[in-house]
Amino acid sequence: MVGIAILGYGVVGSGVYEVIRKNAKSITRRAGTKIDIKHILDIRDFENHSEKNLFTKNFDDILTDTDVSVVVEVMGGVNPAYEFTKRALMAKKSVVTSNKELVATHGCELLKIASENKVHYLFEASVGGGIPIIRPLKLCLAANEITEITGILNGTTNYILTKMINNNKTMSDALKRAQEKGYAEKDPAADIDGIDAARKIAILASLAFGKFVDSAKIPVAGIRNVTLTDVEYAKKLECVIKLCGHCAALENGKVDVFVSPCFVSKESPLSTVDGVFNAILVKGNAVGDALFYGKGAGKLPTASAVVSDIIEIAKSGENTFSPVWEDKGDVLENPKNSVSKHFARIKAENKNEMRDKILSIFDNAQIIDIENGEIGFVTENMTAEGFNDGIEKLNVEVISTFLVLS
Ligand code: HSE
């Protein structure tokens, strides 16, 4: 029997409880032992819960219970989750988490503490909700040098963009619905402004390249200013707008990472990923392209990933993994050297004049003319610095810019 304690009975915590109760038989068969919920920690009262005796407000009840060998941290946020995780690991209890903020911020240290104490720190649910991606990167694709990863990593923003594009909803209406469905973060600005996606691509990059990528240093743009006119330009270019996280290993040993709303070509499998679904496209030097797809947020999909980690621990006995990444200092490439195609919408009173000017600065730019008083264009592949210099030379008001992914 494996005794567990769940920290936090919110969307994910209640999902973990539900999945363990609902699938008890098959989970026991697959784990080779029963998963026994010993405690649930939450500051709120659950007097009407059918198993109200499981609830506690005191973390020490969990720490001192020798029957608890796995702590399931699904509280979200850094505090007090960081403190609780450290104390649990140092008490030789494995920890399973969906907390991407904590993994992205303190993952290095927590993995090291876990390894020193010969226990696990597992976080399958921290990226892509129910999509298996952490374990595949760690194990199934371990034979590969990973060259790049591009993903739609935030369910809330993908849901919002899909509703805006397909159902003409406003951003605030779509966000409200995403919150009701339990997709959004406590502070949805973390979703809208790309911070949640940055944490997730940082975790994937750290794992893929074996070195800590600091999410706080990644260049990030969110979807706050995306308009339906931007969507029209994207359509004209046979693209859809998606918030993408991207990382690539460079020949100089550095890692190029960004989060940005992108024009994604309809030829890319990422363009068809709608609603709360996420997808992660991994390029490995042996496997080629591998695409991982599924629900990126929500109660049961996230719980599915959390419980899979508990089962892995139940099956692994004393075997533990060494830390999956190390802090090797600043590994991020300077964002100004990042190479991509760029799209820009700029003010243009005299369109013919502006068209000539654009073509004189941006070689082979593709011009899109669908709105009065403005003009859009797509560049060839160029560095961010080259693009910004070109925009400065144009000396016009910029309405919006996007990266273009093929
Ligand atoms: N707010 C996150 C999202 C939850 O929308 O993707 C899952 O990590």
Side-chain angles (χ1 to χ4, degrees):
M1 193 179 63
V2 169
I4 72 162
I6 301 171
L7 309 187
Y9 200 67
V11 173
V12 182
S14 59
V16 169
Y17 171 89
E18 192 178 324
V19 168
I20 290 176
R21 287 287 176 258
K22 192 164 133 188
N23 298 342
K25 258 193 188 160
S26 59
I27 289 173
T28 304
R29 177 166 51 81
R30 293 194 175 114
T33 182
K34 187 170 180 258
I35 308 295
D36 193 14
I37 302 172
K38 295 278 183 192
H39 307 272
I40 301 173
L41 179 89
D42 203 291
I43 48 171
R44 295 163 296 176
D45 291 315
F46 291 89
E47 278 307 313
N48 296 326
H49 196 283
S50 60
E51 294 188 82
K52 64 179 181 189
N53 294 344
L54 293 177
F55 284 83
T56 176
K57 292 186 167 116
N58 185 358
F59 182 61
D60 285 334
D61 289 347
I62 291 164
L63 213 55
T64 54
D65 185 344
T66 51
D67 285 344
V68 172
S69 56
V70 181
V71 171
V72 180
E73 185 275 298
V74 283
M75 320 175 81
V78 168
N79 293 310
Y82 174 50
E83 185 64 30
F84 287 172
T85 300
K86 268 208 298 199
R87 288 173 68 196
L89 294 171
M90 289 196 280
K92 304 204 183 300
K93 297 181 193 297
S94 289
V95 176
V96 163
T97 189
S98 58
N99 188 337
K100 51 266 157 127
E101 186 176 359
L102 187 60
V103 177
T105 314
H106 294 293
C108 248
E109 182 194 0
L110 296 172
L111 283 161
K112 194 160 169 274
I113 297 174
S115 168
E116 283 163 2
N117 286 281
K118 300 202 183 320
V119 289
H120 300 261
Y121 183 54
L122 299 184
F123 43 89
E124 183 60 68
S126 66
V127 180
I131 305 174
I133 182 63
I134 301 294
R135 200 167 290 110
L137 276 177
K138 222 163 54 177
L139 293 174
C140 317
L141 297 175
N144 290 260
E145 293 288 339
I146 304 296
T147 52
E148 70 181 79
I149 299 175
T150 308
I152 295 171
L153 299 168
N154 183 271
T156 302
T157 45
N158 205 47
Y159 180 86
I160 291 172
L161 287 172
T162 306
K163 288 279 169 206
M164 282 173 70
I165 295 166
N166 296 352
N167 306 92
N168 239 12
K169 292 265 182 230
T170 63
M171 191 172 293
S172 65
D173 276 354
L175 171 61
K176 215 167 140 233
R177 193 83 188 100
Q179 284 174 307
E180 283 161 12
K181 285 175 169 279
Y183 302 156
E185 297 302 297
K186 264 184 218 152
D187 175 6
D191 297 299
I192 304 286
D193 295 328
I195 296 156
D196 179 74
R199 289 174 183 142
K200 291 166 176 168
I201 195 69
I203 293 171
L204 294 181
S206 301
L207 200 54
F209 308 128
K211 36 200 177 194
F212 172 62
V213 169
D214 187 349
S215 64
K217 295 191 176 145
I218 295 175
V220 178
I223 65 160
R224 197 173 284 277
N225 300 319
V226 173
T227 65
L228 289 175
T229 313
D230 295 322
V231 171
E232 283 310 309
Y233 277 98
K235 263 191 200 156
K236 194 82 188 162
L237 286 161
E238 299 286 309
C239 290
V240 286
I241 298 179
K242 297 284 176 196
L243 182 67
C244 293
H246 174 83
C247 64
L250 302 176
E251 275 174 12
N252 64 5
K254 296 269 184 184
V255 181
D256 184 26
V257 191
F258 64 77
V259 170
S260 174
C262 296
F263 280 16
V264 178
S265 159
K266 285 190 178 157
E267 283 175 16
S268 162
L270 295 180
S271 69
T272 60
V273 177
D274 281 341
V276 72
F277 282 84
N278 284 189
I280 301 144
L281 185 59
V282 181
K283 286 183 195 289
N285 68 349
V287 72
D289 285 3
L291 182 68
F292 298 84
Y293 172 81
K295 282 193 177 155
K299 179 174 170 165
L300 296 181
T302 311
S304 157
V306 171
V307 177
S308 79
D309 279 344
I310 302 171
I311 295 173
E312 178 178 331
I313 293 170
K315 285 167 75 91
S316 70
E318 300 279 293
N319 293 332
T320 56
F321 292 104
S322 50
V324 281
W325 64 70
E326 289 171 59
D327 194 344
K328 296 190 176 166
D330 190 4
V331 295
L332 283 178
E333 175 65 318
N334 189 327
K336 69 181 190 187
N337 297 329
S338 185
V339 174
S340 179
K341 287 182 179 172
H342 298 258
F343 166 81
R345 272 173 70 195
I346 56 174
K347 290 270 186 203
E349 291 313 324
N350 183 333
K351 291 203 183 190
N352 284 337
E353 212 173 78
M354 189 54 74
R355 192 187 305 254
D356 290 346
K357 211 169 163 190
I358 292 167
L359 290 170
S360 74
I361 294 171
F362 295 98
D363 289 341
N364 302 317
Q366 182 185 352
I367 308 285
I368 306 104
D369 183 2
I370 57 170
E371 282 287 317
N372 287 332
E374 63 172 80
I375 207 161
F377 65 94
V378 181
T379 71
E380 294 191 308
N381 269 326
M382 64 192 304
T383 62
E385 185 177 37
F387 175 70
N388 290 333
D389 286 351
I391 290 285
E392 237 173 68
K393 277 188 206 148
L394 280 177
N395 194 22
V396 284
E397 189 182 327
V398 177
I399 303 166
S400 61
T401 61
F402 290 83
L403 299 176
V404 182
L405 302 185
S406 39

